[in-house]
Amino acid sequence: MMVSPPPTVNNEQLERVNEYCYLGIIVSASGSFKRAIQSLANKGKGSLFGMRRYLRRDVVSPRTQMELFKTLIQPIINYGCQVWMPVSNFMNTLLRNYKSSGNFVSSMGVIFKQPFEKVHLQHIKHSLSISRKATNSATLGETGELPLFIASLGLCIKYLTNIINQKDTLVRVALAEQISSNLDWFNNMRSLIVMFDRELNDTNYTISTSDETNALNLCERLSVERILGQITDEFKGAWSRVVSASPKLEFFRASKARGFAWEPYLDLVESFRVRKSISKIRLSAHQLHVETGRYDGIPRDMRSCAYCASLPPPDGPVSTVEDETHLLFRCELTKPLREKYLPRLISTLSAKGVGLPIELVITSLNPPPTVHLEPGDAKEIAMLSADYIHSLYRASVEYKKKHDSQRSKNANLS
């Protein structure tokens, strides 16, 4: 195989390299931007760790932490996405899966595996103080945080509409070559636009035998808001289907009266320790046996509550799955705390005219959006429910520590 000689400048040969960093973007000889995407994610992660050195999550509210990420970290991760996103393997997979299935369900796993999405999810989980093993779909749904790729696609569409109207510029010439040569960057952008702007079709943007004229017409007719709105709706629909199909998220589904949206308790509950307990319970990122038993390969119906199983008759032994509902409403260990907290919560609901089952209010931390409450009343109910959940969960955690410590001592003695 003949290898062409390296190019020269002023009679000096240019070095052959596999990749080159140009304006902060790693350009690979293969044309792939995989290394560039990973490099930007690593830079964003480094900046995220730097931000944490000055950011106490027990002082700064979750909402402020989300805004700081959008302002300080997201621009680093998204840098140059107008160039690399349309030709990325992720974009090809996303469009291919949507074309074949008409939804994002089959792409959810692919979305969460992207380097930029991993940094985003890591930040949310850290802000909520939940385990990295917490379910990604529940993590986004609890905060109403959309994946980063949606905002990136918006930037790509705006970039296309900007450069296509430029005349006699180098970037405009490059775009014309993309269109005439049927290259991936423009092809994927056109597919994205036509798929998700439902008011566009071949009959109203293909008006000429000139591909460039048709591209110009396409950009004049598209709506960034329509496209991003449709992509957002498709993602939320896929999110709902994934959450509904997950056995692990049974309690999360019951507590998510607002769907894919920011949960009010993240603003209303000011105590970091209390808020942390709530997030752990709601997102099944806790130490209850229904969750820890998964990692030990124990069948779900055998992940019983150690305390209830240890009781003598007539209260025990009770072989019942130690899940969130058991802890909050049935467990004998937390019965004294229920007797302490529930009367006040019930009387408060009665005084506010909220005629709903107490289990529903505690599970969602608030009456559903259909029940109108004054802001002060909503906060009072949220705080009472939060204190209830936190106290019961801490009692369970403390019992497990003592139980495990005693079991370890017995093992050493034997």
Side-chain angles (χ1 to χ4, degrees), residues 275-335:
R275 197 169 60 237
K276 178 171 66 171
S277 295
I278 295 169
S279 296
K280 286 178 180 292
I281 289 293
R282 286 173 59 89
L283 277 71
S284 296
H286 44 61
Q287 297 180 34
L288 301 183
H289 202 197
V290 71
E291 178 62 13
T292 59
R294 291 175 60 244
Y295 304 109
D296 297 328
I298 300 173
R300 193 181 193 281
D301 59 355
M302 296 179 63
R303 300 171 197 169
S304 58
C305 173
Y307 181 84
C308 292
S310 68
L311 295 176
D315 296 320
V318 179
S319 181
T320 182
V321 175
E322 188 191 32
D323 58 14
E324 301 88 351
T325 301
H326 174 78
L327 171 73
L328 297 179
F329 306 113
R330 303 191 190 103
C331 185
E332 290 297 319
L333 173 68
T334 56
K335 184 177 180 179

Side-chain angles (χ1 to χ4, degrees), residues 159-160 162-187 190 209-216 219:
Y159 178 67
L160 171 62
N162 180 42
I163 63 176
I164 202 166
N165 291 312
Q166 297 182 26
K167 305 298 182 182
D168 302 323
T169 62
L170 185 59
V171 70
R172 181 64 175 79
V173 173
L175 178 62
E177 183 178 358
Q178 279 276 333
I179 297 171
S180 62
S181 301
N182 204 31
L183 298 179
D184 286 346
W185 190 94
F186 179 75
N187 278 348
R190 177 170 52 196
T209 57
S210 166
D211 291 335
E212 193 169 341
T213 300
N214 290 333
L216 180 62
C219 291

Side-chain angles (χ1 to χ4, degrees), residues 81-96:
C81 65
Q82 298 92 331
V83 174
W84 51 259
M85 177 63 84
V87 293
S88 64
N89 290 335
F90 166 67
M91 182 77 158
N92 291 328
T93 303
L94 192 73
L95 294 176
R96 182 174 61 252

Side-chain angles (χ1 to χ4, degrees), residues 200-260:
L200 286 173
N201 54 59
D202 285 343
T203 59
N204 67 11
Y205 82 85
T206 304
I207 60 174
S208 168
T209 57
S210 166
D211 291 335
E212 193 169 341
T213 300
N214 290 333
L216 180 62
N217 187 47
L218 177 70
C219 291
E220 288 177 348
R221 291 173 178 266
L222 69 83
S223 166
V224 178
E225 290 73 22
R226 283 199 304 264
I227 296 170
L228 295 187
Q230 185 63 37
I231 293 174
T232 298
D233 289 345
E234 292 287 353
F235 175 80
K236 289 181 178 179
W239 172 86
S240 181
R241 291 174 63 178
V242 168
V243 168
S244 297
S246 173
K248 176 179 177 176
L249 298 179
E250 181 180 354
F251 186 80
F252 178 75
R253 290 194 296 273
S255 67
K256 208 73 177 80
R258 290 166 179 79
F260 189 93

Side-chain angles (χ1 to χ4, degrees), residues 322-380:
E322 188 191 32
D323 58 14
E324 301 88 351
T325 301
H326 174 78
L327 171 73
L328 297 179
F329 306 113
R330 303 191 190 103
C331 185
E332 290 297 319
L333 173 68
T334 56
K335 184 177 180 179
L337 291 172
R338 292 200 298 274
E339 293 174 346
K340 173 184 176 181
Y341 284 95
L342 281 180
R344 183 182 174 188
L345 182 53
I346 292 171
S347 64
T348 300
L349 292 174
S350 177
K352 308 297 183 187
V354 179
L356 293 173
I358 188 67
E359 292 84 356
L360 176 61
V361 175
I362 291 174
T363 299
S364 62
L365 278 110
N366 275 114
T370 53
V371 178
H372 176 72
L373 287 172
E374 295 297 325
D377 294 340
K379 182 169 185 176
E380 182 179 359

